[in-house]
Amino acid sequence: MERQSPEEIKAYQEELLRRQLLYIQEHSPYYRRLFERHAIEVAEIQTLGDLVHIPTTSKDDIQACNEDFSCVGREEIIDYCSTSGTLGKPVTFGLTEKDLERLAYNEMRSFQTIGVKPGDVVQLMTTMDRRFMAGLAYFLGLRKLEAGILRVGSGIPQLQWDVILKHRPRFLIAVPSFLLKLIEYAEQHNIDYCNAGIEAVLCIGESLRDASLNDSVLTRRIREKWPLKLYSTYASTEMGAAFTECEAFQGGHLHEDLIIAEVLDEDERPVPDGESGELVVTTLGVQGVPLLRFKTGDIVRKHVAPCVCGRNTYRIGPVEGRKQQMVKYKGTTLYPPALHDLLAGFAEIEHHVIEISHNDIGTDEIVIYISTKETAAEFLSQIKDRFRAKLRVTPRVERRSSEELQRVIFNPLSRKPVTFIDKR
Ligand SMILES: [Zn+2]
């Protein structure tokens, strides 16, 4: 289907949407109430354009009425996933047998998009437990694709290298900045990493491209040392689906039978294709917790120009930031990923944490804590200068010990490294 014309893809999505709406009408306590309150007849929602008649769903709505979003009884739920709760309290997503099959299919397609074939071996460098949906999805997807998986989990470069050298995986699944740690460890221990047999990495959690789809500083730094193919994938528990880059590296392709994506402005009107706005998704084929027009809070762009790979599905560019994490600084607005990427340009920095707070005069203040072996006094000014030149902000930069920052970053209560603290 992804190679059919955009019109055929749209017609197919509309058919799936109508089916999902009938299911929701019958089974979802939350949406039944919503339809009643707004006098919505689901039979009248026929096209993607008709979706505007349905009010959006926010994270707050799901947090407030988590149980009412579930369309099935406990006896049908197999896996109880939860959101990470980076912003707000975590919510539970119960997955049925059919949902797990959907998740496996989704991830199988993502792996196929980056070139994984049956019999390939893939090393997983993220957690599979802690109710994390992505780790489970990778396992299920590779199993469905009939590829092999090495479930090493996150961190511990030594262990990662032991497994790589013994089992020779062709692919890794990793947070991109962790690849720098793998390189560093390999260099210290004389491991010939460029000839270790790894060809490509499915990268999660950090952007590999900037808003114009060019390689980020982090991507360039990794590839200068280790010329791997780095594919970006973007997913969330709420979507239960991923947008994954093909060999063109120009944004992640939509899986047309799993998700409908809109990009909306502050007033919930669609932005023109290629312009930034909030990603709003409607899930297709979900049984447990289907969502209609869910506001992800992620700022992205939709790219509709034909892709050289031959797929006709539109693509979603990198997450430029989270709406809630927008920083307002003397007339400039920016998001943490741009700050992180600028810091990635300094090889001397071991760890960093960005802290945003409100000052007395009501504007945002940026403090950057770094650990580094570079002791020169000018080093901190160099960092400041680059911020001023590239992003037009002047953060305060302070040194901290490596141990102190690691305690903050690798918080045992968090599934993901904590490098951004919002005190506003
Ligand atoms: Zn493509």
Side-chain angles (χ1 to χ4, degrees):
M1 182 50 74
E2 62 190 354
R3 288 167 201 273
Q4 303 293 312
S5 73
E7 294 71 32
E8 281 166 304
I9 293 173
K10 180 170 176 280
Y12 178 53
Q13 287 206 299
E14 288 172 343
E15 187 194 314
L16 297 177
L17 172 65
R18 291 190 289 267
R19 265 190 245 163
Q20 180 82 85
L21 282 167
L22 288 175
Y23 175 82
I24 287 174
Q25 163 91 326
E26 198 175 334
H27 299 279
S28 169
Y30 178 85
Y31 284 115
R32 263 215 304 257
R33 277 205 309 272
L34 185 91
F35 294 158
E36 256 167 52
R37 213 179 318 132
H38 294 268
I40 293 165
E41 290 292 332
V42 294
E44 286 171 14
I45 312 287
Q46 293 283 316
T47 66
L48 299 190
D50 295 338
L51 270 176
V52 294
H53 301 302
I54 302 174
T56 55
T57 301
S58 69
K59 289 192 182 182
D60 290 344
D61 294 332
I62 305 179
Q63 276 170 10
C65 321
N66 197 177
E67 307 269 295
D68 288 351
F69 276 88
S70 181
C71 293
V72 296
R74 276 177 78 93
E75 68 286 353
E76 285 185 74
I77 297 173
I78 293 171
D79 194 80
Y80 290 80
C81 285
S82 88
T83 56
S84 62
T86 317
L87 301 167
K89 83 179 182 225
V91 294
T92 294
F93 278 72
L95 276 72
T96 65
E97 175 65 38
K98 190 168 163 248
D99 291 336
L100 288 172
E101 181 50 40
R102 177 182 176 278
L103 197 62
Y105 163 80
N106 162 69
E107 213 53 49
M108 179 186 75
R109 274 186 67 179
S110 280
F111 284 121
Q112 285 170 333
T113 304
I114 73 161
V116 180
K117 298 199 165 51
D120 278 336
V121 178
V122 184
Q123 185 156 327
L124 177 63
M125 300 183 169
T126 72
T127 185
M128 247 196 90
D129 52 12
R130 315 281 295 272
R131 301 170 69 196
F132 186 40
M133 185 189 275
L136 180 69
Y138 300 135
F139 176 79
L140 295 174
L142 289 169
R143 176 180 158 186
K144 193 171 176 63
L145 185 55
E146 296 180 6
I149 181 164
L150 298 158
R151 292 178 293 108
V152 181
S154 57
I156 326 177
Q158 182 186 352
L159 181 59
Q160 303 288 358
W161 276 117
D162 288 348
V163 177
I164 291 168
L165 297 174
K166 185 163 194 303
H167 297 285
R168 311 284 294 185
R170 249 186 94 200
F171 294 86
L172 308 178
I173 303 163
V175 175
S177 57
F178 184 64
L179 297 172
L180 290 173
K181 302 269 180 272
L182 285 183
I183 293 171
E184 191 187 319
Y185 184 91
E187 284 175 343
Q188 285 163 359
H189 296 82
N190 296 318
I191 296 169
D192 184 8
Y193 55 94
C194 287
N195 292 306
I198 295 158
E199 290 171 31
V201 187
L202 186 71
C203 290
I204 64 161
E206 292 160 346
S207 298
L208 294 175
R209 322 285 161 220
D210 61 19
S212 323
L213 301 177
N214 295 315
D215 287 352
S216 65
V217 175
L218 177 63
T219 305
R220 291 203 300 269
R221 256 187 77 195
I222 297 165
R223 298 199 68 244
E224 269 162 25
K225 294 222 164 192
W226 198 0
L228 298 164
K229 286 184 194 150
L230 302 178
Y231 295 93
S232 194
T233 189
Y234 159 63
S236 70
T237 312
E238 292 91 343
M239 299 195 287
F243 295 88
T244 303
E245 285 183 335
C246 66
E247 65 274 16
F249 307 109
Q250 293 291 293
H253 280 281
L254 165 89
H255 294 160
E256 72 292 334
D257 45 358
L258 304 182
I259 283 274
I260 293 165
E262 303 170 79
V263 182
L264 306 182
D265 67 15
E266 291 281 325
D267 302 316
E268 301 194 347
R269 286 177 307 216
V271 300
D273 292 330
E275 287 189 18
S276 69
E278 181 177 7
L279 179 69
V280 174
V281 297
T282 296
T283 56
L284 298 171
V286 170
Q287 212 173 28
V289 186
L291 294 176
L292 295 173
R293 307 194 79 211
F294 168 69
K295 296 177 82 174
T296 63
D298 292 335
I299 305 297
V300 301
R301 290 164 208 257
K302 190 192 267 192
H303 300 277
V304 298
C307 187
V308 293
C309 71
R311 291 178 183 85
N312 282 322
T313 45
Y314 53 79
R315 289 155 289 130
I316 297 294
V319 175
E320 293 167 37
R322 290 221 167 125
K323 210 170 144 191
Q324 269 181 286
Q325 293 180 333
M326 184 169 78
V327 180
K328 289 198 167 141
Y329 191 92
K330 294 178 187 163
T332 302
T333 55
L334 71 166
Y335 295 96
L339 304 171
H340 290 303
D341 197 50
L342 193 142
L343 289 163
F346 291 93
E348 303 90 333
I349 298 177
E350 289 170 337
H351 297 289
H352 74 260
V353 172
I354 298 167
E355 187 183 276
I356 309 290
S357 57
H358 248 344
N359 61 22
D360 304 338
I361 49 166
T363 57
D364 292 339
E365 189 112 21
I366 308 170
V367 188
I368 292 163
Y369 300 103
I370 59 161
S371 68
T372 174
K373 291 196 179 73
E374 173 60 66
T375 52
E378 313 85 81
F379 184 57
L380 299 189
S381 332
Q382 280 172 19
I383 299 173
K384 266 189 169 179
D385 289 346
R386 203 174 300 175
F387 270 95
R388 210 175 294 134
K390 300 252 171 172
L391 299 173
R392 286 171 300 173
V393 298
T394 316
R396 213 162 77 218
V397 185
E398 294 184 12
R399 291 177 196 274
R400 288 289 184 272
S401 72
S402 180
E403 296 69 36
E404 192 179 339
L405 288 189
Q406 286 191 51
R407 273 200 300 276
V408 176
I409 296 168
F410 303 107
N411 181 336
L413 296 176
S414 170
R415 293 190 300 216
K416 298 172 188 168
V418 179
T419 51
F420 181 78
I421 297 171
D422 202 337
K423 289 193 154 173
R424 292 172 294 179

